[in-house]
Amino acid sequence: MLVSVDNHLLGHTRTNAARPSRPPPSHRRREHGPTTTMTRTIATILAVLAVTLVLALPSFASPPAANATAADDATNNWAVLVCTSRYWFNYRHVANTLSMYRTVKRLGIPDDQILLLLADDMACNPRNSRPASVINNAEDRLDLYGDTVEVDYRGYEVTVENFMRLLTDRMPEHTPRSKRLLTDEKSRILVFMTGHGGDEFLKFQDKEELGAQDLADAFAQMWEKRRYREVLFMVDTCQANTLYSRISAPNVVAVGSSAKDESSYSHHMDMNLGVSVIDRFTYANLEALESVHLASASASSPGGLNRTSSLADLFATYDPVKLASTPGVRSDLSKRPLESIPILDFFGASLTGAKVPRDEDRVVLEARLEVSPVPTVEKVARPTEEEVGESKAPRPVGPVKVGPASSWRAYLHAAALAGLVGIMSFVTLV
Amino acid sequence: MSERGPAPAAAVPPTSTPRPPTSRNLAAALTVGAAVRLALQYAPAVTALRTTAQSSILTTTPLTRWSRIQEALYLYNRGLPLYDNALVHQPPILLPLLSVIPASMHPLLLTVIDTAVAAGLATLAHRQRELEPAAHAPVDADEEQKDPGAKIQGGGVAWTPAAVALAYLLNPLSILSCIAMDAGVIERGAMMAAAVFASGGDSIWASGAITVAFQMGFYPVALAPILALIQRRATHLSAFGVIPAVIISILMWNIIFYTFYTNVMDLDGMAVFKATTGFVLSVPDLQPNLGIFWYLLTEVFDHFRGFFVMVFQLHPFVYLAPIIMRFGRETPIFCLTVYTGVLATLKAYPTVGDYALWLGLLPLYASTWKYFRYPFITANVAVYCAFLFPIMHALWTRFASGNANFFYALTLVLVLGATVLQADCLHAMHVRMHHAHAYAVDKVHAAEAEEREFDEPVVEGRATAVEDRAERMRYRGGKGVKKTEDEEGKGEVKKVPARRVEVHKLPTLIVYLEE
C-alpha cells in the first residue's frame, strides 16, 4: 500500500508505530554459527575462572615471599637532643649535645628528624674566642657548629613545657613541622638530655625543673598515642640514673651517667676558651661511637665497635673508673635484650626491614661501599683507606640492599600478560 | 519516534563488522601527525619546549606525570615495593611493557598510541555512519539529494575520517600532551580502543580496554554504559542485558588484573587500589591544574572535606543517566562525545589532553554545528584560556605579581566555556534530530498524500499539491509552514500538527510524549 520509503524512515510511519523495534533474527547478527549468547556467556565465565585459577597458582605453590616487610619493625629514626643549661660556663653541655647531633647525623638520621634544643648559644657568645664555632676537644679543631647545624629550639624556647609538648605532640595547630616530633608507631627515638640535674630532676635554664615523674608520664602518653616503637633515653647529668627511675612505658632503654648521690664530671678543659669542653660520659660514648661507620663492617680496633655492634657492646665500654661515676642502664622495659639491639637502631637511620647482621650470620659485604662523607675525628684508629679503597662505584649502603636493575621480572610479567591476552582472544573466538 | 531508530526490517545488506578505513588519506594523515610528534619529541632544537611541557601543570598532573612512572619503573626493575611512596599512582599493568621497551623509545611509544587514538577516531567516524543513521538523517531536501558518502558536512568542511584524524593529530593540545609524556595518552588510547571495540561489537576487549583506562584514572568507568549501548547498536542485541553485562565484564577484568597483580607480580592488591583508584577518589594531592577541585579543596575545612570530595566525585556521574536516556538509544557515540567533554571538565586531575580528545570527537557530529547557539562565546573562551593559562600561572609562580586567584579564575572560565559548549552540543543534536524527524514525517505524509490523492477526495483544508508542500518544507527553518494564498480563504483549515511548531520553544519532554 505504501510507497517504498527509505528504510530509516519506516519508523515514522503510522502503521509501524505500534511495532516494537526488534532486530530481525537473521540480519546483522555476527556470524556465530550455532552458538548462542548464553553459550558465549557461560564460556566467558568459565574462561575467567580458568584464568583466575591459573594466575592464582603461584600463590598456592610457593610459600609467602620471604622478603615481606616485617609488619612490626621500625621504619624511621628520630633524635631529640636537649641541652638545658644556660651561660658560658656550661659550654660543655652544648658541646655534648652538638657532639651527639653530629654523630647521629653522620650515621644517617636526617635533619628533619633530629630535634636539637640548645638553651644557650655558645657559638656566638661574646666570650667565645673562636666565634661561630663549638668544639668538644681541646686538641683537635673539629667544629661542631659548622654551616649545616639546624637548631630547632634555641635560647629561651627550651623550656620544660616545650619539651613536654614536643614529646607528646600537644602543640598549637600552627606549630611548624621543624619544631614537632612527628613520630609514629614505627619510630625509634633517641632522647639525649644533658645539663645540671639532681635527684629525680633536671634543671632547665636555671629557672625550672623537669621531674622524673613528668618524664615518665610523657613517655607513657607517647606509648598510649603510639608515638614510638622503641626509645633510647640517655642522660648525662649529675645523679642521672634517678631521672629514669620512674619510667614505666614499654620499650624504653634508659642510660644514665651517674647514680644517686654521684656527680658526673667534665672531661677536660680548653685553655684558650677557659671552660670545659666535654663531659666524661658523653666523651666515653663518642669514643666508642666514633669507630662506628656505616661503611665498615669490621671492627676498627680490637674490641672496638662497628656498625654491627649492639647496645650491650656500647654500654660495656663505659669504665666507671674513667668516668668517676657509676653509669646505669635500665633495660627491664625493653622487649629486646640489649645484646640484640644494634647501635644503628637508635644512632643511625633504619630502613624498612632493617636487619643488621649479627655475628653468626655476618655477611662479608662487597667492597662497593660508600665512604662516610663527614670528616671523622682522628682520635680512634679508623679502617685504613686500603680496606675501603676497592670501592669503585659509590652505592648507598644500608640495611636494604638496592640491587641492580634486572629485567627478568619485566619479561616474565610481559609474557604472562601475553598469555592472558591469548586466553581472552580464544574466548572471543568462541 | 525518531528515537526508536532505524527500522527492524532494514533493507541495508547485512555486512560484517565494518572494516576501519584504510584509505591513503588516512594513512597520510596519521603519518603527518606522527611525524610532527616525533620531530618535537626527539629534535634537540626544541628541548626547552619538551622540558617545559613535561613539568607544566597544565599538561601533566600528579596522577599522570611521566617522572613518576619512571620512578615506578626503577622500583619495579629492582623488586622494591612500588606503592610505599606517595608518588606512584599508575597501575602496575603498564610496567612490564614499559620496562621491556627501552626508555629512549618511550616517546615513540606515546606517539604510536596517540596515532592509534587518531586512527580510532577515524574508525569511529567511519562506523558511525552505519551505526547512527538518526544522527545523519537529512533535515531537508537539499541534504537528502546530496550523496554524503563517507563525509560529514559541517563547519564548511567535509569531515572524512582522515580529516577527523588529522584534526586530532594537529590539535596543539594533543601535541603538547604527547610531548609532555603524559600517561593520559595511554589512558585515552585505552578509552578509544574500548570505543572502537565496542563499535565493532566486541564486548570483551572493550571492557578490557576500559578497565585499563579505569585503573589508570578512575573516570572512564562512567563510559561503560555508553560503550554497552554502542556495542548494542553494533550487534543489535537486546537492550535489557547489555549494560549490566558490561559492568560485570569490567568487574571480571578487574578481578583478572588484580589477581595478576597479587599473584604474578607479588604486589599488595589493597596497596595498588589505594594508590591508584583511591588516590583519584580522595584527591589528596592539591597541586594546581586545569580542574576546579584543587582550589576548593584547599579552602574547605577539614571536617567538611569528605562531604565536598564526595559531592565533587558524584558530579560527573550525575549527567550519565539523562544523556543516556535522551541520546543513548539512537546515538550512543554522541553520548560518548559529550561525556568525554563532561569528564574532561569535571574530573579531579584534568589535563589539556582530555580536552584534546573531546575536541577530536566533535567533528563526528559536524552536521550539528550549524545549530549551535553560542559559538562565539565558546570560541572566545577557548582563545582566552589558551593564552591566559600560561600567563596567569607564570604571574603567580614565577613573577610573584599575581596570586592563585588569577589562575583559579581561569579554571572557572574554562569550565564555564566547556559547559556551554557541551550544552550547545546537546541542544544542537536535539534540534537536528528533531528537524530530521519532522522532515521524515513530512515526507511520509507527502508520500501518503500523493498516494491518497488518486484514491480519495482531498480532505477539506488538508494538503495542497505535493509540490507546494515540498517547496514550503525548504523554508521551514523551525517555523510552522505558512499557509499559501490558496489556503487562506479555506474555512476549516486543518492546522499542521503540533510538531511543526517552532522547535526552539519546544521542551524536550513534549517530543517524547507525543510519540
Side-chain angles (χ1 to χ4, degrees), chain A residues 2-16, chain B residues 1 144 436-452 462 466 469 473 499:
Chain A
L2 295 170
V3 242
S4 66
V5 293
D6 289 348
N7 54 349
H8 63 274
L9 298 175
L10 263 181
H12 306 304
T13 66
R14 279 165 286 173
T15 44
N16 282 341
Chain B
M1 278 196 350
E144 192 171 11
H437 165 71
Y439 174 66
V441 170
D442 287 342
K443 274 194 64 175
V444 170
H445 286 172
E448 287 177 349
E450 186 182 312
E451 245 186 48
R452 212 170 291 118
R462 247 192 91 77
V466 173
R469 233 199 167 87
M473 276 191 269
R499 54 172 73 93

Side-chain angles (χ1 to χ4, degrees), chain A residues 28 35 94 96 107 174 181 189 238 268 277 295 321 337 366 421:
Chain A
R28 286 199 229 169
T35 57
V94 172
N96 289 349
L107 293 175
H174 50 268
L181 186 65
I189 314 180
C238 304
H268 67 273
V277 289
V321 174
E366 294 87 4
V421 166

Side-chain angles (χ1 to χ4, degrees), chain A residues 33 100 113 131 160 177 199 217 221 257 282 287 295 388 390 393 416 424:
Chain A
M100 295 306 285
Q113 291 169 207
V160 174
R177 291 173 66 93
D199 190 2
D217 290 342
Q221 265 196 46
S257 58
T282 308
E287 203 174 22
V388 296
E390 289 87 38
M424 296 314 283

Side-chain angles (χ1 to χ4, degrees), chain B residues 370-384:
Chain B
K370 64 183 178 197
Y371 299 108
F372 277 1
R373 291 173 296 182
Y374 310 115
F376 183 71
I377 294 180
T378 52
N380 271 298
V381 164
V383 171
Y384 297 158

Side-chain angles (χ1 to χ4, degrees), chain A residues 1-3 5-14 16-24 27-30 37 40 44 48 51-52 55-60 65 67 69 352 400-407 409-414 416-417 420-422 424-425 427-428, chain B residues 1-2 4-12 14-15 17 74 76-80 84 93 95-97 99-100 130 133 137-138 144 200-205 234-238 252-253 255-257 259-260 263-266 436-437 440-441 443-445 447-448 451-452:
Chain A
M1 183 180 89
L2 295 170
V3 242
V5 293
D6 289 348
N7 54 349
H8 63 274
L9 298 175
L10 263 181
H12 306 304
T13 66
R14 279 165 286 173
N16 282 341
R19 189 191 306 170
S21 164
R22 282 212 38 100
H27 292 255
R28 286 199 229 169
R29 257 281 176 74
R30 299 180 70 205
T37 313
R40 289 184 72 228
T44 313
V48 166
V51 164
T52 316
L55 289 174
L57 269 178
S59 73
F60 298 142
N67 61 349
T69 308
T352 306
V400 169
K401 195 162 177 235
V402 176
S406 59
S407 52
R409 201 173 283 108
Y411 285 112
L412 176 69
H413 296 158
L417 269 180
L420 183 66
V421 166
M424 296 314 283
S425 311
V427 168
T428 59
Chain B
M1 278 196 350
S2 63
R4 207 100 45 105
V12 170
T15 57
T17 312
Y74 181 91
Y76 174 68
N77 284 331
R78 287 159 182 79
L80 295 172
D84 271 358
I93 196 79
L95 297 177
L97 186 64
S99 199
V100 165
E130 283 110 30
E144 192 171 11
D202 245 321
S203 71
I204 293 185
W205 292 119
T235 59
H236 287 266
L237 300 172
S238 83
M252 169 193 97
W253 275 104
I255 291 172
I256 292 180
F257 282 154
T259 315
F260 186 79
N263 292 111
V264 178
M265 291 179 79
D266 274 326
H437 165 71
V441 170
K443 274 194 64 175
V444 170
H445 286 172
E448 287 177 349
E451 245 186 48
R452 212 170 291 118

